[in-house]
Amino acid sequence: MDVSRIAVRDARADEADAVSALLARAFARNPFVRWLVPDNDRYARVGAGLFRIGVDREMAHGVVHTTDDHAGAALWLPPKSPAPGLLEQLRLAWTTLGLLGTRTALGIKATLDMEKQRAAQPPNWYLTVLGTAPERQGSGVGGALLRPILERCDREGVAAYLESSDPANVTYYRRFGFEVVGELHFPDGPLMPLMLRPALSVQNETL
């Protein structure tokens, strides 16, 4: 599949709902997401809302890429993205409580653990979410969505980083130069591999 033929662009603010709904469908069977929201009926109600948190944040502080037909979306935070202020933290906590209910504490701790692990890595573009509509998986959409920021990383000599919320996707991300550098294991939950794509200068030094 020639991913260069799949047009990728910045998502507009008025597409936030559509992108969030797309990601909820893409992650409907994801081990980490369904550990947070195991009940099917609840996920149907709150799934898009969970992803809307990230969509809004990345639209404000990072990059949200999608396609014209919303076949997929990639959410990125840049190396020096600002930490949320106190008011934003309180707002996010309140929103999360409404979405996760009794599992809110698990969700907040998981987020803090992931932020701590990212901070321990070299400066990086952080792929917070990559999702493809179920009916378009395997068609090259994910690779097309990754391409713009990975090319930017290579131009600027910056690493890229992600958590593979489904361990089955480790092989997929290795195709783009990511390697496992650690892991998180949540209580009674899934294993989450942590993956880094080194800066191009570091890659060249290892050749």
Side-chain angles (χ1 to χ4, degrees):
M1 174 67 66
D2 183 2
V3 299
S4 65
R5 295 188 177 185
I6 299 175
V8 171
R9 60 170 174 79
D10 291 335
R12 302 185 306 270
D14 64 2
E15 295 177 293
D17 283 342
V19 171
S20 301
L22 151 75
L23 292 172
R25 289 202 302 123
F27 283 81
R29 297 185 179 181
N30 178 270
F32 175 73
V33 172
R34 297 314 305 271
W35 170 70
L36 283 178
V37 191
D39 181 77
N40 290 332
D41 290 339
R42 187 177 187 90
Y43 185 75
R45 295 195 307 272
V46 308
L50 283 174
F51 287 99
R52 181 64 186 263
I53 293 174
V55 170
D56 287 345
R57 179 185 60 187
E58 271 70 300
M59 280 188 170
H61 302 298
V63 172
V64 177
H65 281 154
T66 190
T67 62
D68 284 339
D69 59 355
H70 299 140
L75 279 56
W76 296 87
L77 285 174
K80 294 183 179 180
S81 52
L86 178 59
L87 288 179
E88 186 175 358
Q89 291 182 48
L90 292 173
R91 181 183 63 80
L92 289 173
W94 182 255
T95 300
T96 303
L97 177 62
L99 295 168
L100 295 183
T102 59
R103 300 183 73 80
T104 298
L106 289 175
I108 291 175
K109 184 179 186 306
T111 299
L112 293 175
D113 288 345
M114 288 187 282
E115 290 176 352
K116 180 179 179 181
Q117 291 296 324
R118 184 216 176 182
Q121 303 300 324
N124 57 75
W125 273 91
Y126 176 27
L127 179 64
T128 61
V129 180
L130 174 67
T132 302
E135 67 274 11
R136 295 292 298 278
Q137 291 175 6
S139 66
V141 173
L145 288 164
L146 288 171
R147 183 179 178 184
I149 296 298
L150 294 186
E151 289 181 346
R152 179 172 178 173
C153 286
D154 290 344
R155 289 194 306 271
E156 299 177 356
V158 179
Y161 176 77
L162 61 86
E163 303 105 5
S164 183
S165 57
D166 186 343
N169 291 332
V170 165
T171 300
Y172 175 79
Y173 286 118
R174 280 182 170 145
R175 290 166 45 193
F176 299 95
F178 290 88
E179 289 296 337
V180 176
V181 293
E183 61 184 36
L184 286 172
H185 198 151
F186 303 102
D188 299 318
L191 176 72
M192 179 180 281
L194 312 175
M195 304 190 74
L196 182 75
R197 183 181 186 268
L200 190 59
S201 58
V202 176
Q203 297 178 44
N204 290 338
E205 289 173 4
T206 64
L207 297 179

